[in-house]
Amino acid sequence: MPETTPDILASLDIAPDYYGESQEESAVRKALAEIEQKNPLVGSRIALARMCLSLAKNIAKGNEKGRAVANEVATLSQLMDQLDPPVIDADTSDLPPELRKIADALATAPRPGGPTADNSQEL
């Protein structure tokens, strides 16, 4: 990357290493910059961001040497999900009434004496 490009992660004291940086490291650095723009990395999230960069470097070196890196990739994926959790709430306002009843029933905690497979009632 050109030296004139501002490093969004500079405030995190994550020194960029553009010369010789692997594609994995570059991709993780870009993803962290996007995450930082959406939700600032502070406190323990800074440590997680640094761990992500270290894992990316280890993955790249492992790939170069032909090592299995599946565990590191899984760990990196989990850390990235911690930093930028997937959105699980969806807009359900346009659901048909029958489907809305089913979704509401599934979202309700079971209770003693409630419907079971043996005594189920029509929703």
Side-chain angles (χ1 to χ4, degrees), residues 97-106 111 115 120-123:
E98 301 83 22
L99 192 53
R100 164 61 42 216
K101 287 181 183 178
I102 293 171
D104 290 342
L106 290 172
R111 57 180 162 69
S120 62
Q121 301 169 6
E122 187 176 329
L123 293 175

Side-chain angles (χ1 to χ4, degrees), residues 13-75:
D13 194 29
I14 300 174
D17 183 21
Y18 300 120
Y19 179 76
E21 183 173 66
S22 69
Q23 291 179 353
E24 293 86 350
E25 292 171 88
S26 180
V28 168
R29 186 177 303 284
K30 287 177 186 173
L32 290 173
E34 290 174 13
I35 292 169
E36 169 71 18
Q37 286 179 338
K38 288 191 282 184
N39 188 5
L41 299 173
V42 295
S44 62
R45 296 180 76 226
I46 293 172
L48 290 177
R50 289 182 185 194
M51 287 180 221
C52 289
L53 290 170
S54 294
L55 279 167
K57 186 176 278 191
N58 289 344
I59 290 167
K61 287 182 180 181
N63 280 334
E64 287 175 9
K65 295 180 180 184
R67 294 184 186 151
V69 294
N71 290 335
E72 289 85 354
V73 171
T75 302

